Amino acid sequence: MNMFKNPFKHLSAAIAGFFLAVTILLSTPNPILACDISILPAVSSGASGSEISLTVNVALTHRVCTVPISQTDITLTNMTLVSQTDWNKINNSLYQATLIVKLGNSGTGTITVVRECTKGGDTASVKITILSASADVSAALPSNTIPAVTDPPDENLIPTILPADIINTQTNTPAEQELEWMEAIYQALSEPYMLAYIALMSAGTISFLKGWRKNRPILMAVSLFYLGFFVGGCPCAIGSLQSVLLHTGEMKIYMVQYILLFIPVITTLFWGRIFCGWVCPMGALQNFIYRKETGIKINEKLNHYLGFIKYIFLFALIAAVLITGTTVFAHIDPFKALFNFDFNWFTGIFLGLVLTGSIFISGFWCRYLCPLGAFLGLLSKLSYFELKFGTSCKHCGICQKTYCEYGVINGSGKELKLDNSECVRCGECLKRCPKNAVKLSHNRVILISSIPANPVSQEIISKEEFKPDLLKSPSFGSEP
């Protein structure tokens, strides 16, 4: 059992796990996509210099899409955009735009349509055969081909001002180039799901600091049913982490993703992983299906060892994102599949394993697999406040045996320790300790056990320590 004291001695196993995770991320088939993009006609040809009409359809497969339709990225190769209609909303989930493009040199032209988002997005591409202008192509021209000499485009078409052979409609839109910071923030915060996300984070943070732990299941239920099943699992902080990696320096365009990641990062740096314990819809689902009476208590050493898997997964995910240039986790996210009822064989099996584990092991996904949990766990080592045992602790171990279901309190007797990097700030030990001994303290305070026992030093420590609900006054959600 000495292997559990220092898992990094088995470096070869960690490296093998890392590359296995990268391989899975890069090779998972049939990704679940947030959009279904099609380009019509799927097969087309025309003479060099002629103009053809193409129709782009974007079907949003999730109930709520966080990426505006205007951020659909269209790229042309060996063709020039002549005009494009506005995006027309055909129904609640289908948008359509018509393009007229001028064919370039003989050979092949390509139109590629891309939508990137934390849910996976989609990509569609069609190749157009471009024939020589001097060739007799009248029989080969499809019905969508427009003669080289044409009447002026219909007035509802918007002519492009960019004559380049490759046109990127997302990055070259003047309105987006001139987007101001306050306008970008306003647009991001105007989304209802963002307001709900911020409200839940605010309520969760205040409830934790005030000791209102009865509010936790209420907030988790709202998060699960609104952010999870209603919105479709987005906002997703895991997807936002990937988007920030891919779009560093493009903060104004991807403001939503930056805010989604910024909020849990800030709260973690101050008070710990409040997002994980109070707001995350994935954590909420696990909390509700876990049954304590049939739960399995994981051995302390084994729990510590298994906890390293999520860190391997995190670094593998970062590597895969940087290698592929895509939000690869969207392809295997079991919770996104559940929240949107959109499965492939891999996510179906993955979800089944995760939910089965969560029934018997509290926070199975959070403790052993979640890459965001690993990321916030690393940040929590820098938290301004951390949980500690105060001078009134009698080392009874009841917090470890009864209250903490995440296995973050280890040791026994006077060697009892609390692992703040794994703690999700559920508040059970903080509020229910019979001796009121668990404290939220400034992490730079010298350990109590190392301070000489004299009235002056004890007075200093008591001022440094912060205990939620200091006034001890009856209030909503508080408990005796």
Side-chain angles (χ1 to χ4, degrees):
M1 296 298 292
N2 291 333
M3 65 178 290
F4 295 115
K5 292 183 178 180
N6 188 357
F8 287 108
K9 286 184 178 180
H10 300 265
L11 185 59
S12 59
I15 294 175
F18 170 81
F19 283 106
L20 176 61
V22 171
T23 302
I24 292 174
L25 289 168
L26 295 178
S27 61
T28 303
N30 302 321
I32 302 173
L33 302 172
C35 308
D36 184 9
I37 301 175
S38 62
I39 304 172
L40 299 175
V43 178
S44 185
S45 63
S48 176
S50 65
E51 297 176 359
I52 66 172
S53 173
L54 298 168
T55 300
V56 179
N57 296 307
V58 177
L60 307 180
T61 60
H62 288 73
R63 286 180 291 280
V64 177
C65 183
T66 62
V67 179
I69 191 65
S70 61
Q71 289 189 16
T72 303
D73 185 1
I74 302 177
T75 301
L76 302 176
T77 304
N78 198 23
M79 298 187 293
T80 304
L81 180 66
V82 176
S83 56
Q84 176 184 339
T85 64
D86 292 326
W87 285 99
N88 297 314
K89 189 172 184 180
I90 307 302
N91 54 46
N92 288 335
S93 61
L94 179 63
Y95 289 83
Q96 187 178 89
T98 300
L99 288 71
I100 294 179
V101 298
K102 184 176 182 179
L103 304 183
N105 300 325
S106 59
T108 301
T110 305
I111 175 173
T112 303
V113 182
V114 178
R115 280 180 59 79
E116 293 184 359
C117 76
T118 58
K119 296 181 181 180
D122 192 15
T123 300
S125 181
V126 166
K127 292 185 177 181
I128 292 91
T129 301
I130 304 176
L131 307 173
S132 172
S134 59
D136 182 9
V137 297
S138 57
L141 292 178
S143 59
N144 66 315
T145 301
I146 302 173
V149 179
T150 64
D151 294 327
D154 190 84
E155 61 184 7
N156 73 319
L157 299 178
I158 305 172
T160 178
I161 59 174
L162 300 171
D165 289 335
I166 300 177
I167 301 172
N168 184 310
T169 61
Q170 178 177 345
T171 57
N172 289 301
T173 303
E176 289 186 357
Q177 289 182 345
E178 299 172 4
L179 190 65
E180 298 294 336
W181 282 103
M182 292 307 298
E183 183 182 359
I185 294 173
Y186 174 78
Q187 289 181 2
L189 298 182
S190 63
E191 297 287 349
Y193 65 86
M194 286 295 293
L195 298 177
Y197 177 79
I198 294 171
L200 286 169
M201 280 300 301
S202 301
T205 302
I206 293 171
S207 296
F208 169 71
L209 295 176
K210 292 294 291 181
W212 298 338
R213 64 184 180 86
K214 278 190 174 180
N215 291 352
R216 183 169 175 251
I218 298 174
L219 297 178
M220 295 178 84
V222 173
S223 174
L224 175 61
F225 290 104
Y226 182 74
L227 297 183
F229 287 103
F230 181 77
V231 180
C234 198
C236 172
I238 299 178
S240 298
L241 175 61
Q242 298 174 91
S243 294
V244 170
L245 287 172
L246 292 173
H247 302 290
T248 303
E250 301 178 68
M251 188 172 181
K252 285 192 286 188
I253 297 176
Y254 294 91
M255 183 61 69
V256 169
Q257 285 77 15
Y258 274 85
I259 293 177
L260 289 176
L261 184 62
F262 177 79
I263 291 176
V265 164
I266 290 299
T267 54
T268 298
L269 288 175
F270 274 93
W271 302 289
R273 291 168 55 183
I274 294 176
F275 170 80
C276 299
W278 290 77
V279 176
C280 178
M282 296 179 283
L285 176 62
Q286 296 173 89
N287 182 75
F288 289 128
I289 67 174
Y290 171 69
R291 300 269 65 87
K292 191 171 184 178
E293 56 272 16
T294 58
I296 300 173
K297 192 77 172 180
I298 303 298
N299 176 274
E300 181 180 313
K301 292 181 179 179
L302 179 60
N303 180 64
H304 179 72
Y305 181 70
L306 293 175
F308 283 100
I309 296 177
K310 64 179 177 289
Y311 293 99
I312 295 175
F313 192 14
L314 170 65
F315 292 116
L317 177 62
I318 293 174
V321 167
L322 296 178
I323 291 171
T324 64
T326 63
T327 54
V328 293
F329 185 71
H331 301 171
I332 65 169
D333 186 349
F335 292 97
K336 188 187 78 172
L338 174 64
F339 292 147
N340 293 279
F341 304 105
D342 185 9
F343 300 92
N344 59 37
W345 67 266
F346 183 88
T347 54
I349 295 174
F350 195 6
L351 177 66
L353 294 174
V354 170
L355 294 184
T356 301
S358 300
I359 293 173
F360 299 102
I361 301 174
S362 178
F364 176 79
W365 168 263
C366 308
R367 292 162 68 176
Y368 306 133
L369 296 173
C370 181
L372 181 67
F375 176 68
L376 296 180
L378 294 173
L379 289 180
S380 65
K381 295 180 182 295
L382 306 174
S383 295
Y384 194 76
F385 293 100
E386 64 180 20
L387 291 178
K388 294 181 180 180
F389 296 107
T391 54
S392 60
C393 179
K394 301 301 180 183
H395 312 291
C396 64
I398 191 173
C399 56
Q400 178 189 37
K401 300 171 185 176
T402 307
Y403 304 148
C404 182
E405 297 178 351
Y406 282 81
V408 302
I409 300 177
N410 304 311
S412 60
K414 294 185 178 180
E415 299 298 323
L416 212 59
K417 295 180 181 178
L418 195 152
D419 187 351
N420 279 273
S421 65
E422 298 296 323
C423 176
V424 298
R425 299 299 193 255
C426 67
E428 293 296 313
C429 65
L430 194 64
K431 186 66 179 179
R432 298 175 65 184
C433 176
K435 298 298 180 180
N436 201 34
V438 183
K439 308 288 184 178
L440 187 63
S441 307
H442 192 299
N443 66 4
R444 287 183 291 180
V445 174
I446 300 174
L447 292 176
I448 294 174
S449 59
S450 65
I451 296 179
N454 61 68
V456 176
S457 62
Q458 295 299 327
E459 180 181 358
I460 293 174
I461 288 297
S462 66
K463 290 181 179 179
E464 293 277 10
E465 293 173 342
F466 173 75
K467 180 72 176 180
D469 204 12
L470 287 173
L471 299 179
K472 305 294 182 183
S473 58
S475 52
F476 175 74
S478 62
E479 294 189 6

